[in-house]
Amino acid sequence: SQGNYDKAMMHYEKALHIAEELGAKLEMGIDLGNIGHAYKAKGEHDTAIVTYDRTIALLRELGNKYYLSECLIGKAEASFSLQRYNEAQMVNAEGLRIAEEISRKEYIFPGNILSAKIDFALENDDAPRRLEEMLQQTEDDAEIATLHYELWKMTLSEDHRQKAFNLYQALYNTTPNIDYKTRMKELQ
């Protein structure tokens, strides 16, 4: 991700128009999901949720669990950003359940992170311990960085802040991802 969300949305909207003309419903769902992701990345969470709702309805109709899990978790993240914690919890639980059912690891991890963040926002003091347990179970640098970052946000631990910053810096040097850069700025 380089952060060119407007340009990406323009391409997704063109692809969506073509898919609609062809009646290609799965491609429509994929394109709508990508548009929802772009709105969420731009911070336009209400618009992202509306787009995700449209996508989720289409993917349910198609019975496509692969993209459905992704869009449910995306909607839950947008709802969390708007402090709609109960809605986020319900939608994330469904997305996470489906991701686990189909072994979609790239959404199981963020779903579990979001679950802990929601619990923490709802004043469940168990959330940091759950993230610490996840930290012990992964060797993936991006996941470790994310866990240290989220633990820093919950506990304000200087150790977690420094570890997250160092890992994001190393990751950014290898793969210049806008999300890594954003996190580094926040952690400085």
Side-chain angles (χ1 to χ4, degrees):
S1 171
Q2 299 296 315
N4 298 325
Y5 302 117
D6 291 327
K7 189 173 181 180
M9 284 179 65
M10 185 178 69
H11 291 289
Y12 293 138
E13 287 169 357
K14 283 182 185 177
L16 175 61
H17 181 70
I18 293 168
E20 286 171 336
E21 285 181 352
L22 297 173
K25 287 187 176 185
L26 178 58
E27 288 73 14
M28 289 167 54
I30 293 167
D31 295 330
L32 276 169
N34 286 329
I35 292 167
H37 296 330
Y39 278 125
K40 180 174 58 100
K42 289 175 57 172
E44 296 178 31
H45 301 293
D46 284 314
T47 306
I49 289 169
V50 169
T51 305
Y52 283 131
D53 282 341
R54 201 172 143 205
T55 308
I56 289 165
L58 181 57
L59 294 170
R60 284 190 200 285
E61 176 188 324
L62 296 171
N64 188 299
K65 292 181 177 183
Y66 185 85
Y67 293 109
L68 179 60
S69 64
E70 175 181 331
C71 291
L72 285 165
I73 291 171
K75 178 183 177 182
E77 290 169 340
S79 297
F80 178 84
S81 294
L82 294 170
Q83 300 180 346
R84 298 178 190 161
Y85 302 129
N86 292 325
E87 176 186 348
Q89 190 172 46
M90 183 182 69
V91 175
N92 188 60
E94 182 183 4
L96 186 53
R97 180 187 54 77
I98 293 169
E100 288 171 343
E101 180 183 312
I102 63 172
S103 300
R104 190 145 189 227
K105 184 182 185 300
E106 68 271 25
Y107 283 94
I108 294 171
F109 178 78
N112 281 323
I113 293 279
L114 183 57
S115 179
K117 289 169 59 175
I118 294 166
D119 285 351
F120 189 76
L122 295 172
E123 299 183 5
N124 178 341
D125 294 335
D126 189 42
R129 183 193 56 76
R130 289 179 25 221
L131 295 182
E132 290 281 3
E133 287 175 4
M134 289 174 67
L135 191 55
Q136 301 308 312
Q137 297 170 5
T138 186
E139 295 179 10
D140 180 274
D141 285 343
E143 289 182 359
I144 293 168
T146 299
L147 287 161
H148 281 299
Y149 171 80
E150 295 299 345
L151 281 161
W152 168 70
K153 300 244 334 180
M154 289 179 188
T155 67
L156 302 177
S157 161
E158 175 60 23
D159 183 54
H160 287 302
R161 187 200 67 77
Q162 190 62 53
K163 286 178 179 176
F165 180 82
N166 291 343
L167 280 165
Y168 281 126
Q169 192 169 43
L171 288 164
Y172 186 79
N173 289 338
T174 305
T175 308
N177 181 309
I178 189 74
D179 296 327
Y180 299 155
K181 188 175 184 178
T182 302
R183 293 262 170 102
M184 286 187 316
K185 284 182 183 177
E186 186 179 351
L187 288 158
Q188 281 183 326

